[in-house]
Amino acid sequence: MKQHYLAVVTLTRNAIPILPLQDDMRQFEARAETKRLLAEAALSEFFTYKNVQLVKSRWLGGDLFLSALITVDGDEHPEWELAAHAPGAAKRWSEYARLELKNTAADYGWRAGIGCVSNPTGRYRSDLAYEAAKRALLQVNVEGGAEQGRRRYVFQEMLSQKVLFPYYQPIVDLNDGSVFGYEALTRFPANESFQGPLELFLFAGEIGDAYRLDRVVRELAINGCASLGAGQKLFINVMAQIMEDPDFSPGRTIGLLERHHISPHQVVFEINERTSIQDYPAIKKALEHYRSQGYQIAIDDMGAGYSSLQSVVELRPDYLKIDRSIIQNIHNDEVKAHILHTLQETGRKIGATLIAEGIELEEELAELKGMGVRYAQGYLLGKPAPFPLP
Ligand code: G
Ligand code: MN
């Protein structure tokens, strides 16, 4: 099915107009021939998109507006594609503008914004053009401009193009060296918008897509470890933020687990608090529900700056995963050893098992063994890798 859109690109020199710019705008207004050239250049930079039928350009105040009608197949997203293309186009066009406008005060600081709205009739409509223009201006002012738009596009593409994949890092039982379980970690080829998983997860939270990303990576984690041993656990990272969502339900997850012959009793949700927990009652309620289905809970990154003892008190986890910041160099640092000891006591009190994370040195491992820590994870014991692990 064909879908129609009306898109507007705006090029504006200052996000929010301020007084000292007025004079310079008037000066800029006077150069009709320059404006015509700039508009032409902008049209050819911004609307190279394959399905553009009609384009118009218009100067309003000191801002340039370009509008276009676009028709695509139902599953395409011109708003994402335009957004992806915009920063490059804006950069090239700004260079051109700088040359055209040299010796005037108006030759700097252009910013691009894009608005794209559904246009059922496929014909040009001024009310929709206004709506798209408003969004384009809002994007410049509020959403951080086209770069943000491009990140949104890359994010959506990464989810739908399946560039994400799971890695697994062993968690070792120090009593006998066996693999107690694996932590699933999301990986993808680094790109210009997202260097690593943490950036991707934070961005998903910012744009309100955390839940969707979380579900995708959870399913990847389960699909990717088909040969998990019957006695082994699978640790899956979940952002606390997601657990607060009243719609969060692991129902789909159960079905997927069954297909892979993994029991909920083998699955541990690792809760991390990189965004602070707002609503403990909501999370507790969600956790009760999981627990009744057999899942276990770990608090991730214990001892890192953003993790809180409140979550230990409120959530009563089955495992405490001790952050690398506490483990690193623990053999030479009495304070770290003391903190670990305190966490061991806490764990005993609430019936939670400790897992030390981020072990890189033999000395750290020896110290932890000496202190009676049973489970550990880190590059020394095994790096994250695809399943089955080497
Ligand atoms: O916050 P969380 O514990 O889920 O973070 C796990 C991250 O730590 C993964 O990206 C993993 O690759 C990384 N990691 C695992 N083991 C080690 C280690 O021994 N040293 C370091 N520097 N990073 C590690
Ligand atoms: Mn983790």
Side-chain angles (χ1 to χ4, degrees):
M1 243 253 299
K2 295 287 178 199
Q3 302 263 356
H4 304 288
Y5 292 85
L6 197 159
V8 168
V9 170
T10 182
L11 285 151
T12 170
R13 280 172 301 155
N14 240 26
I16 298 160
I18 47 169
L19 280 176
L21 226 91
Q22 300 293 318
D23 276 354
D24 131 49
M25 267 193 189
R26 215 172 302 128
Q27 186 184 5
F28 183 58
E29 284 297 305
R31 299 162 145 267
E33 174 60 11
T34 305
K35 288 200 305 186
R36 196 184 61 72
L37 287 173
L38 289 177
E40 256 173 36
L43 286 177
S44 61
E45 283 293 354
F46 282 90
F47 285 126
T48 53
Y49 190 65
K50 56 185 182 298
N51 298 309
V52 170
Q53 284 107 32
L54 171 130
V55 282
K56 293 183 180 187
S57 68
R58 195 165 167 205
W59 288 93
L60 286 166
D63 300 336
L64 176 58
F65 290 85
L66 314 172
S67 48
L69 295 177
I70 296 174
T71 303
V72 295
D73 287 325
D75 54 351
E76 289 180 58
H77 289 273
E79 69 275 35
W80 299 347
E81 230 167 294
L82 287 168
H85 182 65
K91 203 164 162 232
R92 288 188 298 275
W93 184 84
S94 302
E95 277 308 308
Y96 177 78
R98 208 188 312 278
L99 294 175
E100 277 301 316
L101 298 171
K102 63 175 177 290
N103 303 327
T104 77
D107 65 347
Y108 59 87
W110 290 93
R111 297 172 71 179
I114 294 168
C116 191
V117 296
S118 173
N119 176 22
T121 69
R123 286 188 299 276
Y124 190 87
R125 276 174 47 184
S126 55
D127 58 333
L128 291 180
Y130 172 75
E131 185 58 35
K134 196 165 76 178
R135 289 188 193 188
L137 282 168
L138 271 174
Q139 193 186 61
V140 174
N141 281 314
V142 181
E143 291 178 16
E147 171 53 24
Q148 185 78 346
R150 191 176 63 120
R151 292 188 97 202
R152 276 173 195 260
Y153 169 76
V154 173
F155 176 82
Q156 306 296 352
E157 283 292 291
M158 285 173 71
L159 260 64
S160 55
Q161 300 299 317
K162 310 204 188 315
V163 298
L164 305 173
F165 53 89
Y167 263 22
Y168 300 87
Q169 187 175 33
I171 297 169
V172 174
D173 183 342
L174 299 179
N175 280 352
D176 58 8
S178 65
V179 175
F180 174 65
Y182 296 93
E183 175 177 356
L185 297 158
T186 304
R187 294 289 186 263
F188 57 85
N191 58 58
E192 238 185 90
S193 295
F194 301 102
Q195 297 296 309
L198 186 57
E199 264 182 48
L200 188 75
F201 282 91
L202 290 175
F203 183 76
E206 280 168 31
I207 65 168
D209 256 345
Y211 182 68
R212 194 165 139 237
L213 176 61
D214 189 74
R215 201 181 66 214
V216 168
V217 304
R218 189 160 4 115
E219 293 181 0
L220 282 173
I222 295 166
N223 276 324
C225 71
S227 51
L228 187 75
Q232 291 178 322
K233 305 251 184 214
L234 176 63
F235 287 72
I236 299 179
N237 288 287
V238 180
M239 280 189 287
Q241 192 191 350
I242 285 160
M243 295 241 166
E244 290 178 61
D245 188 328
D247 294 336
F248 183 54
S249 110
R252 263 178 81 137
T253 309
I254 295 237
L256 194 61
L257 287 171
E258 273 168 10
R259 257 172 281 140
H260 287 89
H261 308 290
I262 300 172
S263 149
H265 294 274
Q266 290 174 270
V267 175
V268 183
F269 287 121
E270 268 186 37
I271 299 171
N272 68 58
E273 296 180 68
R274 289 193 182 100
T275 53
S276 71
I277 295 177
Q278 306 292 333
D279 189 353
Y280 275 102
I283 296 192
K284 278 164 85 168
K285 193 155 167 264
L287 291 187
E288 267 162 40
H289 181 60
Y290 295 137
R291 284 206 159 107
S292 71
Q293 293 176 305
Y295 296 103
Q296 289 183 307
I297 308 299
I299 303 280
D300 202 3
D301 302 327
M302 284 297 306
Y306 44 76
S307 80
S308 74
L309 291 172
Q310 190 185 2
S311 58
V312 177
V313 176
E314 299 262 4
L315 307 181
R316 296 300 169 98
D318 304 282
Y319 301 90
L320 299 177
K321 295 196 78 180
I322 313 302
D323 191 64
R324 186 172 112 78
S325 58
I326 303 294
I327 303 305
Q328 193 176 28
N329 215 25
I330 191 163
H331 55 291
N332 285 328
D333 192 324
E334 283 179 11
V335 179
K336 288 186 181 183
H338 181 76
I339 291 173
L340 186 74
H341 179 74
T342 310
L343 289 168
Q344 280 180 302
E345 288 293 304
T346 308
R348 243 171 245 135
K349 196 95 193 159
I350 63 170
T353 305
L354 256 62
I355 301 173
E357 286 190 306
I359 291 143
E360 294 184 350
L361 303 175
E362 291 288 356
E363 291 89 336
E364 293 162 352
L365 186 63
E367 177 76 19
L368 292 167
K369 278 186 181 168
M371 292 182 71
V373 173
R374 180 161 174 194
Y375 299 103
Q377 180 181 354
Y379 291 168
L380 181 69
L381 302 164
K383 291 201 166 165
F387 217 95
L389 302 175

